[in-house]
Amino acid sequence: MGIERRHWALAAAPLALALLSVTGCDSTSDAGAKPAPVPSSTSVARVCAEPAAGPAKAPAGAVAVDPAVAGDLAAKTKSSPPNTTFWLRPGKHRLAPDRYAQVVPKEGNRYLGAPGAVLDGRKTNQYAFGGTARDVTIRYLTVQGFVAPHDEGVVNHDSADGWVIEHATIQNNSGAGLMAGARQRVRASCLRGNGQYGMNAYKGEGRISGLVVEGNEITGNNTGDWERRRKGCGCTGGVKFWAVDGADVRGNWVHDNRGAGLWADTNNNDFRIEDNVLEGNDGAALIYETSYNAVIRKNTIRRNNWAEGRKAADRGDNFPFATVYVSESGGEPRIRARTDKIEISRNVLENNWSGITLWENADRFCNSPANTSSGDCTLLVRDTDRCARPAIATAPLYADCRWKTQRVDIHHNRFVLDTSVVRCTAECGRMAVLANYGTYPDWSPYQGERVAEAITRKQHNRWHGNVYIGPWTFVAHDPSRELDSGQWQGTPYQQDAGSTFRAQDGG
């Protein structure tokens, strides 16, 4: 799984917050400086610095857990019935000194941390909470120092359903701080400084549905720099979503993660991503890849992609690396969701490295060796083996065997670029819709410019009613076609009807 390399050549992946649109420009005296941690003009979920305090006394009927007794939490969980409430006293709680020692909740258990309660893995234990029990709640607890392996998680290790994680701090762990199951609620929590992901929304068997991620601060994750260690793995970021069918991601502050901020990868569907602040992430603020049907609106998105965008430019890569990257993803009316398109509207994108790129890799489709989501096929074809010659060259498989970037509606957004802030002179202010020239494999029915023509002119991808401030350019069909606003609005592209352009830098 994971995103393909984005090249022209062959591919090798407190809760309710008021977010105010930003119209002014900041400045910086350091070309490599990161953005200020908390922008003064925007209210964000500062839950890492200002965590909510848990109950100072044990609730009636709760089982008290003693930090002086190693393994007390796991032992009392094992000896208590389902639906028990556990209150962790102040102090540092430990598990047994075994790498696989962990708490295995029973259905309906609740774990509440007193002020100062910490469950510490001491860089010895791999997992904090595991097992398959449903409807477990964890509140007001700090979980830190666990060493989950790559792609595995510390809290809800086995992706059980119905868990609620609220007012928790999950920090400084290896792997993912948190996994996800169906109907999981992650609210007002701090997911900070974890080795791979803040949360890895992945379930080995079945799909995740009804996921809510609300009012969290998600920051500084991927301390292990996994893209460097496993080049092209597509396995990093603040939050990664896999095969999630229905998610509400709102009111979060996602910032300063190494890699992407939010990344939906492989057969996700029905996302609402709204009222978030996404800023200062080394890579894209948001990647929506090989997925379907989403509403992305009213987000404040700024100063993202400085590290990865500049790195690509410095090596001479002319691909329009973007802050919002829609890769082989689109609206599909045949897949049930709250929308039948991808709608990107009423967002403010300020001083990022480039804007929105719509991309489709002509060589990536079911059964192609260039499909980096290996073994997966689109949601329209259940039997992957059907996507083979000669049938793939004819309807309906010609259309259904590939993820298509289609029905993307980009409107009423504000795009601001001040090159003195971003510290760039070229390739940092691009909007794009493009594909590569199909070449591979030799039996592919998508060779040549077929996909580039389709994504650019035939798949109902539309910009309109936007505001552009700064030196924006536009890329259509392939990276060699860089256009000014007049060419972008004119025939044959006819994009950004009703939009306004102010070419000078600044906001």
Side-chain angles (χ1 to χ4, degrees):
M1 298 184 188
I3 200 162
E4 84 280 8
R5 294 300 86 196
R6 297 154 283 191
H7 290 198
W8 173 239
L10 171 67
L15 300 170
L17 303 172
L19 303 180
L20 305 178
S21 295
V22 177
T23 58
C25 293
D26 300 323
S27 63
T28 179
S29 59
D30 183 352
K34 299 290 284 185
V38 180
S40 60
S41 57
T42 305
S43 296
V44 293
R46 307 186 202 184
V47 294
C48 292
E50 303 170 8
K57 295 182 179 180
V63 174
V65 181
D66 188 353
V69 179
D72 196 40
L73 179 60
K76 286 178 175 174
T77 295
K78 185 175 182 179
S79 63
S80 301
N83 299 302
T84 297
T85 296
F86 300 88
W87 177 70
L88 284 73
R89 297 180 184 274
K92 191 169 287 187
H93 297 255
R94 299 162 293 151
L95 300 175
D98 178 274
R99 64 187 298 187
Y100 297 114
Q102 60 188 288
V103 182
V104 182
K106 296 174 183 175
E107 185 170 337
N109 280 2
R110 294 171 296 278
Y111 297 88
L112 307 179
V118 176
L119 180 59
D120 195 329
R122 298 172 297 161
K123 302 298 181 183
T124 299
N125 311 115
Q126 292 189 350
Y127 317 122
F129 293 90
T132 59
R134 297 177 175 232
D135 303 328
V136 172
T137 297
I138 299 170
R139 291 191 175 104
Y140 308 110
L141 182 63
T142 294
V143 179
Q144 65 185 34
F146 289 81
V147 287
H150 183 259
D151 290 338
E152 297 186 42
V154 169
V155 174
N156 196 10
H157 170 262
D158 299 293
S159 302
D161 295 340
W163 283 40
V164 175
I165 294 90
E166 290 183 329
H167 304 293
T169 297
I170 303 173
Q171 64 182 9
N172 304 330
N173 303 286
S174 299
L178 177 64
M179 301 297 285
R183 299 177 289 103
Q184 182 157 299
R185 305 288 187 265
V186 185
R187 293 191 173 111
S189 292
C190 171
L191 309 181
R192 173 173 61 187
N194 296 290
Q196 189 180 0
Y197 306 113
M199 182 171 75
N200 186 13
Y202 173 79
K203 193 176 181 71
E205 297 294 333
R207 291 169 63 78
I208 296 172
S209 60
L211 178 63
V212 174
V213 182
E214 182 178 17
N216 305 285
E217 183 174 353
I218 303 164
T219 182
N221 295 291
N222 186 29
T223 60
D225 197 7
W226 279 97
E227 292 290 346
R228 178 184 58 79
R229 295 166 66 178
R230 298 188 181 183
K231 188 173 178 59
C233 72
C235 60
T236 60
V239 181
K240 193 79 181 277
F241 305 89
W242 311 85
V244 175
D245 189 11
D248 291 315
V249 182
R250 57 181 176 252
N252 302 284
W253 185 21
V254 184
H255 67 99
D256 297 290
N257 295 284
R258 177 174 284 168
L262 303 174
W263 189 341
D265 186 355
T266 311
N267 287 338
N268 298 277
N269 176 50
D270 195 14
F271 272 52
R272 287 191 175 179
I273 302 170
E274 55 192 353
D275 293 323
N276 302 284
V277 175
L278 311 174
E279 64 179 335
N281 299 290
D282 283 357
L286 170 63
I287 300 174
Y288 206 71
E289 180 186 2
T290 54
S291 295
Y292 303 90
N293 302 325
V295 173
I296 302 164
R297 64 188 176 193
K298 297 189 292 182
N299 300 286
T300 298
I301 303 172
R302 56 189 165 206
R303 302 194 183 191
N304 297 280
N305 203 32
W306 285 13
E308 293 188 7
R310 182 172 284 109
K311 186 184 297 183
D314 288 348
R315 67 173 180 254
D317 190 334
N318 71 336
F319 186 88
F321 287 85
T323 285
V324 175
Y325 183 48
V326 180
S327 175
E328 288 100 7
S329 296
E332 177 48 76
R334 291 175 290 173
I335 298 173
R336 185 175 180 179
R338 291 167 288 183
T339 181
D340 62 1
K341 59 186 177 180
I342 292 181
E343 183 177 14
I344 304 174
S345 68
R346 293 180 285 168
N347 303 285
V348 175
L349 285 83
E350 182 180 81
N351 291 330
N352 302 284
W353 190 281
S354 286
I356 299 173
T357 288
L358 308 186
W359 161 253
E360 198 169 324
N361 177 5
D363 301 324
R364 187 182 192 187
F365 53 91
C366 302
N367 278 341
S368 168
N371 177 18
T372 54
S373 294
S374 54
D376 287 292
C377 193
T378 70
L379 294 180
L380 300 172
V381 179
R382 300 299 182 184
D383 182 2
T384 306
D385 291 342
R386 295 174 60 208
C387 295
R389 57 181 175 183
I392 193 174
T394 60
L397 294 179
Y398 179 83
D400 292 352
C401 288
R402 64 177 301 111
W403 294 272
K404 291 191 291 186
T405 302
Q406 63 179 8
R407 299 172 59 85
V408 182
D409 190 7
I410 302 169
H411 66 93
H412 295 95
N413 302 284
R414 181 179 177 87
F415 302 107
V416 178
L417 175 65
D418 186 338
T419 57
S420 70
V421 173
V422 183
R423 300 296 194 196
C424 67
T425 58
E427 297 191 336
C428 59
R430 294 185 290 176
M431 206 73 58
V433 52
L434 76 166
N436 60 322
Y437 189 92
T439 62
Y440 181 78
D442 59 7
W443 53 270
S444 168
Y446 312 109
Q447 295 188 21
E449 297 185 351
R450 296 178 183 183
V451 174
E453 283 292 309
I455 188 175
T456 305
R457 302 175 60 180
K458 301 176 182 178
Q459 292 180 181
H460 308 288
N461 297 314
R462 182 178 177 227
W463 280 256
H464 60 101
N466 299 295
V467 174
Y468 295 88
I469 300 172
W472 290 92
T473 58
F474 304 86
V475 178
H477 190 276
D478 65 74
S480 70
R481 300 190 190 184
E482 190 154 329
L483 316 171
D484 62 28
S485 60
Q487 293 168 318
W488 176 246
Q489 289 186 298
T491 303
Y493 307 110
Q494 297 183 318
Q495 292 291 357
D496 264 315
S499 296
T500 60
F501 302 82
R502 196 171 83 207
Q504 67 267 33
D505 279 356

